Amino acid sequence: MIIQFLVAMVATAAFSILYSVPRKNILAGAVAGGVGWIIYFTLEKAGADTIVYAFTSAFFLGVISRICAVLFKTPVTLYLLPGIFPIVPGAGIYYTAYYFFMNDMASFTRNGLETAKIALAISFGIIFALSIPHEIFGLLRKLQREEK
């Protein structure tokens, strides 16, 4: 699990650098991506349904990204976009295209539907996380001011 977490963090940090995220925000984004991957990986290995682990990991990644955005006074996308890469179904997209070009329509359909389910679950997880009222995260800012 620790290796999985560290690899997800490194991958997220690499995408953060690729997208020109400011250096002071890379570590927080990497941790968010690592946590999102661990939730995804743990639920997948526990036998949860595809939709459940994709939705749950994206939801928590969205919440963590919003928390980081409030604490560091930066846009949510600095943490969300690089953090989502470990859970994006890249292999599913690849194999869907591969089976399409190989004219294996049964495998294309099966992989395409599974990939679409994961992508939609990730999308809805992010939507639900971003639809949490801003006032809830505003409490973090109040707590941060009281500490100073």
Side-chain angles (χ1 to χ4, degrees), residues 61-72:
L61 178 63
V63 169
I64 293 167
S65 297
R66 287 192 69 186
I67 290 169
C68 289
V70 168
L71 293 177
F72 299 115

Side-chain angles (χ1 to χ4, degrees), residues 90-102:
I93 295 167
Y94 170 81
Y95 285 114
T96 299
Y98 174 80
Y99 290 129
F100 176 77
F101 288 113
M102 292 295 124

Side-chain angles (χ1 to χ4, degrees), residues 5-118:
F5 179 73
L6 292 175
V7 169
M9 280 185 62
V10 169
T12 304
F15 279 108
S16 296
I17 293 167
L18 184 67
Y19 288 120
S20 301
V21 171
R23 287 182 189 215
K24 65 180 182 175
N25 302 109
I26 291 175
L27 181 62
V31 170
V35 170
W37 172 252
I38 288 299
I39 293 169
Y40 186 95
F41 181 74
T42 303
L43 290 174
E44 180 183 27
K45 293 300 175 195
D49 187 47
T50 305
I51 294 173
V52 171
Y53 62 77
F55 176 86
T56 305
S57 61
F59 176 79
F60 281 106
L61 178 63
V63 169
I64 293 167
S65 297
R66 287 192 69 186
I67 290 169
C68 289
V70 168
L71 293 177
F72 299 115
K73 298 177 184 167
T74 55
V76 174
T77 54
L78 287 181
Y79 313 102
L80 185 60
L81 290 181
I84 207 79
F85 278 100
I87 64 174
V88 168
I93 295 167
Y94 170 81
Y95 285 114
T96 299
Y98 174 80
Y99 290 129
F100 176 77
F101 288 113
M102 292 295 124
N103 204 26
D104 183 353
M105 291 302 144
S107 297
F108 163 73
T109 304
R110 185 179 65 252
N111 278 321
L113 289 175
E114 187 68 17
T115 302
K117 281 182 6 183
I118 294 171

